[in-house]
Amino acid sequence: MTVRQADAGDAVGGVLPRWVALPESVEEVAAVLRACAGRDLAVVPAGGGTKLHWGPPPERCDVLLDLCCLNEILEHAAGDLVVRAQAGVTMGALAAALAGEGQELAVDVPFPEGATVGGTLATATAGPRAFRYGTPRDLLIGVTVVLPDGTVARSGGKVVKNVAGYDLGKLFTGSYGTLGVIAEATFRLHPLPAARRWVRAEVDAADLPAIAAALAASQAEPSAAEVDRPEPGARPVLAVLAEGAAAESRAAELRELVGGGEISDAPPPWWGLISGDEVLVEVRFPATGLAAVLEAAERSGLALRGSVLSGRVLLESPGRDADEPALAGTVAELRRRVEAAGGRVNVLAAPHTGLDRWGRVSALPLMRRVKERFDPGRRMSPGRFVGGI
Amino acid sequence: METLTAALLSVLPRDSVITDPVRLRTYECDGLTYHRATPGVVVLPATAEQVARVVRLCNDFGVPFVARGAGTGLSGGALPREDGVLIVTSKMRAILEIDLPGRRAVVEPGVTNLAITEAVREQGYYYAPDPSSQQVCSIGGNVAENSGGAHCLKYGFTVNHVEACEIVTPDGDLVTLDRMDPGYDLLGAFVGSEGTLGIATKVTVRLSRTPEAVTTVLAAYESIEQGGQAVSAIIGAGIVPAAIEMMDALAIEAAEAAVACSYPAGAGAVLIVELDGPAAEVERQFAQLREICAGAFELRVAADTAERAAIWKGRKSAFAAVGRISPAYIVQDGVVPRTALPGVLAAIDRISAEHGIRVANVFHAGDGNLHPLVLFDDAEPGAGERAEVVSGAILDLCVEHGGSITGEHGVGVDKARYMPRMFSETDLDTMQLVRCAFDPDGLANPGKVFPTPRLCGEVPGVRKGVHPLVESGKAEQF
Ligand SMILES: Cc1cc2nc3c(=O)[nH]c(=O)nc-3n(C[C@H](O)[C@H](O)[C@H](O)COP(=O)(O)OP(=O)(O)OC[C@H]3O[C@@H](n4cnc5c(N)ncnc54)[C@H](O)[C@@H]3O)c2cc1C
Ligand SMILES: Cc1cc2nc3c(=O)[nH]c(=O)nc-3n(C[C@H](O)[C@H](O)[C@H](O)COP(=O)(O)OP(=O)(O)OC[C@H]3O[C@@H](n4cnc5c(N)ncnc54)[C@H](O)[C@@H]3O)c2cc1C
């Protein structure tokens, strides 16, 4: 294992760690965490570092635990549609290995070369196809985690159907590195669809809610529908995906619902991507909240991209620098409108420290109790998550 | 118990508190009848607030409580405590809201699984998780057990279809766990926790669109190996059917005796494969399936709903049917990786022969979930014990092959002692951290799931000796 002095490039949200540790096995991860526990050192785990700046900066950070060397695909049981991989495996490497067997992990990751299995789980954002396949937590069937005191624990397993014990995988998914380190993950896989077709069309924003409702109810079963509106006020572009042996004929059916458009076998260039994330706001909403979300986004002046079917869009301010009070005002107004429609607004990334990033969290006292049990010393990414957890 | 009962009567109507010993006996077990205990007192709250009040009283008195839905559990999860309160949700059966445009329904925990589908079927929607007990089991019980059914191969389990839950925490607070909320996925942890993290008082489920087409196929094979190979070939071809179920000769014999399902005569194994989805998609997959199943000596395709029901009839009645061919039986529930099925089934055969105990196999072949029915004659001395041995050996086989000791029936009280076969002491201690966060006093369904939980104040795993990093000199870096 390598341990080196940190330099400016290792800063997490502006906070410079003292050391960077690069463990090469689960045992070494445990050893580092035990050593840190003994000396009350704060640890931030890192995967590819593509979104280490998401969430508030850590209150303190002594050690950056870089998981890049934990990069082995441990087992691909193709016949069982299951893969077990270490946390530092990049999503790109994983996808390439699985594709060799005609399979995939059905999540969309915009930076496959950088994003790792661990980081993808720890932040738990969901891309376009969540409508059909669920989010990463729905595809995770087993984990090995390392607790802040160095304890190595496992839950779930490598079979899809399994109800023995508590599901620690769910708890660690989306925990932003505040409960411990995800060291290994086992996922259920899907066969690569025989074909993929995208319907693409410019639509009127006012028609989108009705189109989305029709798509969601359609028996042609789209896998995803994404909207791109780089400029508020512009006509949004809608792209709808059909996957399967009969993708072509189903895409034709879906085009009827969209009201025209072209069918192609490649996604639009912006599909599942974000151009930048200086300021990145995630809006989650129930299907019935779409009209309100579109309107709120329009008023915020932010660019919008995301899934109109699974109720999750990202708003960003490309190239525009919002100062803190202005952004805080924008977020507050967004929150007021979106929450009234049953949704939530989370600021994933922002270059400011004073923002209320998460808004209201209904089970916060329970979450604090979970944090206290897993990390009583508050040494794992302290302050990075809801309620200052 | 008497002062507690008096306190309960002050927060609940008289007819919602049961103390009559005869009526208490109605609740002494769930679907697993060989674990029995008479509850100290039974309450039938009608609202979430009443549940919260009862739980708060249990806290005041330091008395354990157990939730019970329909009592169909097969692992003794709802087994009451003689020194505790049994909280039954049978008065909480309202469907509170159906929101088709939002594709969700909000229901009280006592609502049956099937009632949700019935409420939306005519509009072209359904609730996807379909345990075989769906006519009677409650959605609260489904949440607690993370129930699945024949169709979970494609559609997943309860946890994939629950959007939010209002719960009463073990200390009596009403809290909402919502998938949409930022923060830890406490909803994901709560689903499948078997009543040990609190009581669900309101559940928001996702509704699914009824698929355009359904094709159900029955394929009969001479041997169970051939059937197993067909399952592998289906998955290998990239098809994810809605369900793949399998029955062996003994299970077919039982089903035949009970419901005369007229499955092909002489079959060593029968496979039921159901495809669903867009019509064009199903058509293509069916063409592929026909080729894959070319080795079957008979292939039946259901042309309509009635024929589909006829194909499923034998499979659905198999559990109850073994009663026709054996005086007593144990229903086991274990999981193996799908590719290990042939080897594991052969091993079950060997174990069965060795102990002179017949085993009938009915299972969810698509996801490797075995339900061996271990048959014995309870009048024969020692037979029950041998059946237990066989039943336990099957679970060992599952764990050896990287599987699980339960795929859908839960751990409950029945399998708590098997948990250490699958998980290390450290794994179990770590799960206890969740338990302690929710339920520091251990009042929610104690004695279930975990064999011997530590007290929440205890520090697990005090480590001794020199730290490896220190030993290797690397820790000097810090
Ligand atoms: C602009 C943008 C858009 C995105 N859109 C999508 C999308 O549409 N769909 C989608 O699925 N993903 C999306 N992502 C997510 C992203 O691409 C990757 O999925 C991934 O989350 C980043 O992984 P990483 O390895 O770089 O993590 P890092 O940036 O290194 O870490 C991210 C967080 O996870 C923690 N962490 C990292 N590894 C571990 C570990 N092993 N154990 C515990 N905690 C850990 C870190 O402490 C940090 O808080 C998006 C990301 C960006 C930047
Ligand atoms: C014939 C038969 C077939 C079955 N088939 C299947 C199947 O295919 N798939 C499957 O998964 N299961 C199956 N089961 C098992 C059982 O039906 C399920 O586990 C079901 O979810 C239990 O629901 P219930 O309402 O009967 O719960 P109960 O038996 O009353 O309770 C089960 C557990 O849930 C807890 N609980 C109940 N209500 C609540 C609540 N509101 N909040 C918190 N905890 C609660 C109890 O404490 C207990 O631990 C079958 C059972 C039978 C008898």
Side-chain angles (χ1 to χ4, degrees):
Chain A
M1 171 171 59
T2 309
V3 179
R4 62 169 174 83
Q5 297 281 326
D7 58 41
D10 299 313
V12 179
V15 180
L16 193 64
R18 284 194 270 167
W19 297 283
V20 178
L22 298 108
E24 285 162 36
S25 66
V26 178
E27 293 68 38
E28 288 186 350
V29 173
V32 173
L33 291 187
R34 267 198 305 268
C36 292
R39 292 162 180 77
D40 191 31
L41 300 177
V43 180
V44 173
T50 58
K51 52 225 271 290
L52 221 42
H53 59 294
W54 284 22
E59 279 161 26
R60 55 193 187 109
C61 173
D62 300 298
V63 177
L64 187 72
L65 188 72
D66 188 336
L67 293 155
C68 64
C69 303
L70 244 69
N71 56 7
E72 248 181 275
I73 296 175
L74 301 166
E75 187 181 356
H76 177 200
D80 296 320
L81 286 166
V82 163
V83 71
R84 188 162 66 93
Q86 289 185 320
V89 172
T90 64
M91 297 303 279
L94 186 62
L98 299 175
E101 302 278 347
Q103 299 181 352
E104 65 164 346
L105 172 59
V107 296
D108 312 280
V109 179
F111 302 117
E113 322 77 48
T116 61
V117 164
T120 301
L121 287 173
T123 41
T125 1
R129 291 187 302 159
F131 178 63
R132 165 116 178 233
Y133 301 97
T135 59
R137 64 88 108 154
D138 293 300
L139 298 165
L140 181 71
I141 57 174
V143 280
T144 301
V145 295
V146 186
L147 304 191
D149 67 357
T151 301
V152 178
R154 224 161 36 88
S155 100
K158 58 174 195 173
V159 284
V160 169
K161 210 167 178 186
N162 181 4
V163 294
Y166 296 155
D167 194 339
L168 298 178
K170 299 263 186 312
L171 197 61
F172 274 70
T173 302
S175 64
Y176 276 81
T178 61
L179 290 178
V181 175
I182 300 166
E184 286 175 20
T186 307
F187 296 99
R188 69 172 292 198
L189 303 173
H190 284 85
L192 275 172
R196 291 195 166 121
R197 292 290 180 275
W198 280 265
V199 179
R200 196 185 332 179
E202 243 184 50
V203 296
D204 279 336
D207 295 339
L208 256 180
I211 295 174
L215 289 171
S218 166
Q219 287 175 321
E221 294 185 7
S223 292
E226 288 285 287
V227 155
D228 181 42
R229 189 176 63 187
E231 281 299 322
R235 284 189 95 201
V237 178
L238 174 68
V240 186
L241 169 65
E243 293 177 303
E248 185 77 41
S249 64
R250 288 164 52 206
E253 273 180 64
L254 295 169
R255 179 170 54 186
E256 293 297 301
L257 301 175
V258 173
E262 61 185 65
I263 295 177
S264 68
D265 54 9
W270 47 266
W271 179 265
L273 300 178
I274 289 281
S275 40
D277 65 343
E278 266 287 290
V279 172
L280 192 65
V281 178
E282 181 195 50
V283 180
R284 305 183 193 177
F285 53 94
T288 41
L290 180 58
V293 167
L294 287 171
E295 202 200 314
E298 174 100 54
R299 282 169 183 267
S300 74
L302 299 170
L304 175 147
R305 182 175 294 163
S307 175
V308 292
L309 294 189
S310 55
R312 189 193 295 252
V313 297
L314 294 173
L315 307 179
E316 53 167 335
S317 61
R320 235 168 313 165
D321 244 1
D323 63 53
E324 181 158 342
L327 184 61
T330 304
V331 170
E333 176 65 7
L334 260 175
R335 222 166 244 154
R336 199 179 60 76
R337 291 173 176 275
V338 169
E339 285 182 358
R344 308 279 190 281
V345 174
N346 304 314
V347 180
L348 297 182
H352 312 294
T353 46
L355 280 177
D356 174 6
R357 292 182 186 241
W358 316 100
R360 188 175 49 85
V361 186
S362 42
L364 193 55
L366 262 183
M367 290 181 196
R368 287 193 202 287
R369 278 154 63 172
V370 169
K371 168 75 174 178
E372 271 159 33
R373 289 288 168 181
F374 277 80
D375 183 22
R378 288 195 84 243
R379 279 182 281 99
M380 292 303 301
S381 304
R384 299 218 79 184
F385 206 24
V386 292
I389 277 175
Chain B
M1 203 49 74
E2 258 156 49
T3 40
L4 172 61
T5 303
L8 287 170
L9 281 167
S10 71
V11 300
L12 293 176
R14 167 147 289 284
D15 67 350
S16 299
V17 182
I18 298 174
T19 52
D20 168 28
V22 179
R23 288 183 66 203
L24 287 179
R25 295 279 301 276
T26 324
Y27 298 96
E28 67 183 3
C29 66
D30 62 7
L32 193 65
T33 52
Y34 53 79
H35 295 287
R36 286 174 194 272
T38 310
V41 54
V42 171
V43 296
L44 306 161
T47 64
E49 285 67 30
Q50 287 183 355
V51 175
R53 271 185 230 136
V54 170
V55 170
R56 264 176 247 141
L57 282 177
C58 290
N59 272 267
D60 294 347
F61 286 79
V63 159
F65 60 88
V66 179
R68 178 183 166 110
T72 67
L74 291 172
S75 53
L79 179 76
R81 297 267 304 204
E82 283 172 1
D83 60 348
V85 180
L86 186 72
I87 303 175
V88 184
T89 60
S90 57
K91 282 195 179 172
M92 301 175 75
R93 287 215 174 138
I95 293 181
L96 301 170
E97 190 190 332
I98 287 176
D99 170 13
L100 289 182
R103 304 187 298 279
R104 39 169 75 202
V106 184
V107 305
E108 289 188 329
V111 168
T112 65
N113 174 299
L114 192 62
I116 302 175
T117 291
E118 279 172 350
V120 296
R121 185 163 25 213
E122 304 222 320
Q123 286 82 28
Y125 287 83
Y126 74 114
Y127 174 62
D130 60 341
S132 311
S133 53
Q134 68 182 150
Q135 288 194 19
V136 277
C137 67
S138 76
I139 201 75
N142 289 179
V143 166
E145 301 284 354
N146 191 15
S147 298
H151 293 89
C152 60
L153 170 62
K154 180 169 174 184
Y155 294 106
F157 312 87
T158 301
V159 72
N160 306 118
H161 299 268
V162 168
E163 300 282 335
C165 255
E166 176 192 76
I167 66 163
V168 170
T169 65
D171 42 15
D173 287 338
L174 258 181
V175 174
T176 298
L177 311 178
D178 192 328
R179 263 194 96 157
M180 204 145 35
D181 268 337
Y184 297 136
D185 184 6
L186 299 184
L187 179 62
F190 184 84
V191 176
S193 63
E194 305 193 25
T196 62
L197 298 181
I199 301 185
T201 49
K202 194 158 71 176
V203 185
T204 305
V205 297
R206 187 190 311 157
L207 300 172
S208 304
R209 188 77 169 91
T210 315
E212 187 176 25
V214 182
T215 295
T216 308
V217 177
L218 181 146
Y221 290 91
E222 252 121 52
S223 72
I224 200 111
E225 290 75 32
Q226 286 173 311
Q229 280 158 12
V231 175
S232 296
I234 293 168
I235 300 295
I239 303 176
V240 182
I244 312 182
E245 299 288 304
M246 196 147 134
M247 291 167 76
D248 70 4
L250 196 53
I252 298 168
E253 180 192 324
E256 217 58 76
V259 294
C261 51
S262 44
Y263 282 174
V270 149
L271 209 61
I272 299 174
V273 185
E274 191 153 282
L275 301 169
D276 72 6
E281 208 64 50
V282 170
E283 215 172 280
R284 302 250 177 147
Q285 291 184 348
F286 177 58
Q288 269 177 292
L289 185 68
R290 231 182 220 296
E291 270 174 42
I292 292 168
C293 294
F297 71 79
E298 192 176 329
L299 201 67
R300 286 184 197 169
V301 184
D304 55 30
T305 323
E307 287 185 24
R308 181 173 322 132
I311 286 181
W312 276 106
K313 190 172 167 194
R315 166 66 184 88
K316 291 205 164 163
S317 63
F319 281 65
V322 288
R324 299 284 185 120
I325 60 164
S326 178
Y329 62 96
I330 301 170
V331 183
Q332 192 45 282
D333 164 38
V335 193
V336 295
R338 184 170 34 231
T339 47
L341 274 175
V344 168
L345 289 171
I348 292 179
D349 252 3
R350 276 198 303 278
I351 296 171
S352 150
E354 251 166 52
H355 293 83
I357 292 285
R358 292 187 303 165
V359 178
N361 287 295
V362 184
F363 55 99
H364 309 295
D367 34 38
N369 187 192
L370 297 166
H371 284 315
L373 298 153
V374 183
L375 314 181
F376 64 100
D377 182 352
D378 45 356
E380 184 193 323
E385 287 74 15
R386 276 184 292 136
E388 271 289 335
V389 170
V390 168
S391 177
I394 292 174
L395 287 188
D396 284 337
L397 268 176
C398 293
V399 175
E400 268 165 43
H401 285 83
S404 172
I405 58 167
T406 168
E408 54 182 25
H409 293 172
V411 177
V413 70
D414 195 44
K415 286 189 176 172
R417 68 184 193 284
Y418 290 112
M419 284 290 272
R421 299 195 193 181
M422 200 173 149
F423 295 109
S424 72
E425 205 177 319
T426 315
D427 300 338
L428 296 173
D429 280 349
T430 305
M431 291 180 194
Q432 281 299 304
L433 294 175
V434 181
R435 170 64 168 276
C436 292
F438 276 77
D439 183 21
D441 298 324
L443 294 181
N445 212 1
K448 313 292 167 65
V449 185
F450 298 99
T452 43
R454 291 172 209 273
L455 298 175
C456 289
E458 244 177 281
V459 183
V462 178
R463 272 156 245 285
K464 301 187 189 79
V466 184
H467 195 279
L469 258 194
V470 175
E471 206 167 35
S472 66
K474 286 200 172 102
E476 291 312 305
Q477 305 254 18
F478 294 92

